[in-house]
Amino acid sequence: MTEVLNQLFIGGAWVDAADGATMPVDDPATGEILCHVADAGPKDARLAEDAAVQAQVDWARTAPRARSEILRRAYELILERTDELAHLMTSEMGKPLAEARGEVAYAAEFFRWFSEEAVRIDGGYGTLPDGRNRMLLSRRPVGPCLLITPWNFPLAMGTRKIGPAIAAGCTMILKPAPQTPLSSLALAGILKEAGLPDGVLNVVTTSRAGEVCEPLLHGGRIRKLSFTGSTGVGRLLLAQSAEAVVRTSMELGGNAPFIVFEDADLDKAVDGAMVAKMRNMGEACTAANRFFVHSSVAEEFGRRLAERMGALVVGPGTRDGVDVGPLIDRVGRAKVEELVADAVERGARVLVGGRTPEGPGCFYPPTVLTDVASDSRLMDTEIFGPVAAILTFDDEDEVIRRANDTPWGLVGYLFTEGLDRALRISERLEVGMVGLNTGLVSNPAAPFGGVKQSGLGREGGRVGIDEFLEYQYVAVPVR
Ligand code: NAP
């Protein structure tokens, strides 16, 4: 593996934190410290802001083709380095290497997609209804952005924001999660190598998120916040953004229903459940959180799912043949343990798993619970772990009401062989995305995002770049 980058990246240079502070990065598979990285404070944030503000004017003027080619080069460099990036990600986050390689490809694809969008930013010219005045319409970058990312997809959550920001001509400060700073720093190195001008991207790793970000949001120079993380933190950042009227995009938490109808193909449903539940060890905003299964097929579905879940190999993500790595940390694992204990207390039966293993690392076994009571805490809490909670239903209206009975609305999964029913239910589900007979919706070419308290705006797809662009209209009277 090449050298691990561990300093702040400000104005195109690698620097220590102004006060020399560092913070540890842990390996969740062993609980041991992997390395230390710079721990930025408000002074470093101000330097990063100065760099982003200074670079903005020239960067906005670069040819779209030049921005496109930087993204394209970075896409190729990421793919060339798939193995080393995957190892880095597995070491700081825990996911098995095969999944980490999958995330590298997914992350790179945002750069390829937005390299293609960079040269398609359009404008307009038109006659206004009075027949005399004309309208010239152009689109321009929103300005310096603050990008805040979570730990669960350390590389892809960064590229999903950096890609459109570069394509649109915005400069930025990226603040990754403190558990997984290494992937973001490696990404900064790759973008520098790909020719990104100094100051366009600045990376500030910190254990003091509030102290570092709040002054940026209040200062009036940062014009856009793009946040991915929990709904609670998103709400706080929305309030902080109100002060200087900072534009926001919010990719927040989920509580996905996974609905299996009596006419579903159960092979497809179980395959879909394995992906929707087990991708990233269940630590995904898109993870199926509540399985609603028609009572006539619930037993069969539960039995088959438990068989598949029980066959998965749990262990350090770097080991060959491992399917399920550790959870991110002990806090995350304790939450999963509490949710399972609560469900069992309220009458749930454990079909497989449910017991924390002895030894180091934050491991938790794939678990299937059935007969879960509707008032169990995991019904209205993101489990963020490898636990499938099964409830039954008998009636279409009833299952839609229960599926929608949550403040979140990111994604829903639906298994039925009936086209009519598939369309009818998709329209009635209060979610931004639907997986129809599939457990995977994420794709850089599709608009990703939620409704209700799952967020504001979309990332990826044709509309992903819109979040980083403003309209300007010029009125032109013609005599
Ligand atoms: P989190 O606790 O909300 O943290 C997300 C990011 O926000 C981290 O970088 C965190 O840094 C930072 N942060 C926390 N408080 C802050 C503050 N006061 N000011 C500025 N930044 C602050 O979420 P997480 O535990 O990392 O990630 C899991 C959550 O993300 C889940 O709810 C999941 O559903 C959601 N998620 C959503 C999507 C989506 O696309 N909708 C995708 C992935 C994940 P610190 O840790 O230092 O506080």
Side-chain angles (χ1 to χ4, degrees):
M1 192 149 90
T2 50
E3 180 205 5
V4 172
L5 299 167
N6 63 357
Q7 291 172 291
L8 308 177
F9 184 63
I10 298 180
W14 295 100
V15 294
D16 290 329
D19 61 4
T22 62
M23 59 182 189
V25 182
D26 294 340
D27 178 347
T30 60
E32 282 165 17
I33 294 175
L34 276 175
C35 64
H36 287 78
V37 297
D39 187 358
K43 194 167 171 197
D44 304 295
R46 205 161 45 248
L47 292 173
E49 183 186 32
D50 289 345
V53 169
Q54 268 165 30
Q56 180 60 66
V57 172
D58 285 348
W59 179 238
R61 284 201 197 114
T62 50
R65 179 64 72 200
R67 301 200 297 265
S68 164
E69 282 172 358
I70 290 167
L71 282 172
R72 179 73 201 200
R73 271 198 299 281
Y75 158 76
E76 280 156 12
L77 286 171
I78 292 174
L79 288 189
E80 272 169 31
R81 291 177 200 168
T82 296
D83 271 346
E84 72 192 64
L85 288 168
H87 272 94
L88 197 62
M89 203 189 306
T90 295
S91 64
E92 64 178 348
M93 189 274 169
K95 68 180 73 186
L97 272 177
E99 279 205 66
R101 286 192 192 95
E103 182 177 337
V104 172
Y106 174 55
E109 196 55 39
F110 284 105
F111 279 3
R112 178 159 68 166
W113 176 264
F114 285 107
S115 76
E116 290 157 357
E117 291 302 299
V119 291
R120 318 236 182 280
I121 301 170
D122 55 6
Y125 177 79
T127 304
L128 293 179
D130 62 16
R132 198 169 56 83
N133 286 296
R134 304 288 187 270
M135 171 176 73
L136 263 177
L137 200 57
S138 64
R139 308 192 74 193
R140 44 193 55 212
V142 67
C145 304
L146 173 60
L147 316 177
I148 302 179
T149 52
W151 48 263
N152 61 344
F153 291 96
L155 204 59
M157 294 302 97
T159 58
R160 201 163 78 171
K161 298 183 188 305
I162 295 168
I166 288 180
C170 295
T171 62
M172 66 210 92
I173 302 169
L174 170 67
K175 192 216 81 65
Q179 296 94 332
T180 56
L182 304 178
S183 299
S184 297
L185 294 169
L187 191 59
I190 285 175
L191 279 160
K192 186 174 168 69
E193 210 177 316
L196 192 71
D198 294 349
V200 173
L201 168 69
N202 304 277
V203 184
V204 173
T205 52
T206 181
S207 64
R208 298 170 269 175
E211 271 176 66
V212 160
C213 295
E214 193 170 358
L216 296 174
L217 292 172
H218 287 174
R221 296 199 293 169
I222 293 295
R223 295 311 319 145
K224 159 96 194 172
L225 166 67
S226 177
F227 172 73
T228 298
S230 60
T231 297
V233 173
R235 203 177 283 125
L236 175 79
L237 293 174
L238 276 169
Q240 290 178 4
S241 302
E243 165 116 355
V245 195
V246 174
R247 194 166 151 188
T248 58
S249 308
M250 293 276 150
E251 294 289 347
L252 308 177
N255 184 11
F258 187 104
I259 307 174
V260 182
F261 283 96
E262 68 279 17
D263 64 348
D265 175 331
L266 277 197
D267 290 336
K268 278 189 210 161
V270 174
D271 284 350
M274 291 302 290
V275 177
K277 184 71 250 180
M278 293 308 296
R279 178 170 178 242
N280 226 35
M281 289 86 71
E283 294 172 316
C285 52
T286 49
N289 213 56
R290 299 167 294 155
F291 286 79
F292 296 106
V293 186
H294 193 272
S295 56
S296 64
V297 291
E299 201 179 321
E300 172 74 1
F301 176 83
R303 189 185 60 70
R304 289 210 220 167
L305 184 62
E307 209 170 275
R308 294 275 294 275
M309 294 276 271
L312 295 174
V313 178
V314 181
T318 45
R319 194 181 289 161
D320 274 349
V322 162
D323 304 299
V324 185
L327 296 182
I328 187 68
D329 52 27
R330 288 190 175 260
V331 178
R333 182 171 72 175
K335 176 182 159 192
V336 174
E337 288 168 339
E338 281 165 30
L339 290 174
V340 170
D342 170 79
V344 169
E345 226 164 78
R346 292 172 204 261
R349 277 191 301 128
V350 182
L351 293 187
V352 70
R355 234 187 238 144
T356 304
E358 301 277 321
C362 306
F363 297 98
Y364 194 84
T367 297
V368 179
L369 304 176
T370 192
D371 298 337
V372 175
S374 303
D375 62 352
S376 304
R377 279 180 44 214
L378 45 66
M379 287 296 106
D380 59 11
T381 311
E382 270 188 297
I383 302 171
F384 247 57
V387 177
I390 302 178
L391 299 93
T392 57
F393 73 92
D394 291 302
D395 171 82
E396 199 174 290
D397 285 337
E398 171 210 343
V399 75
I400 289 174
R401 185 183 47 71
R402 289 165 71 191
N404 288 339
D405 184 20
T406 167
W408 288 286
L410 188 62
V411 58
Y413 303 93
L414 170 59
F415 286 76
T416 172
E417 291 297 294
L419 179 62
D420 228 42
R421 172 179 265 166
L423 297 178
R424 190 168 62 240
I425 307 283
S426 299
E427 287 176 10
R428 293 181 66 190
L429 282 177
E430 294 169 356
V431 291
M433 302 175 288
V434 175
L436 175 55
N437 293 323
T438 176
L440 184 68
V441 293
S442 305
N443 190 305
F448 186 103
V451 300
K452 291 158 77 176
Q453 294 188 27
S454 284
L456 300 168
R458 292 293 180 270
E459 288 191 327
R462 295 294 304 277
V463 297
I465 198 168
D466 294 347
E467 305 285 337
F468 293 89
L469 291 168
E470 298 278 22
Y471 280 104
Q472 189 184 53
Y473 140 65
V474 179
V476 191
V478 175
R479 283 170 194 90

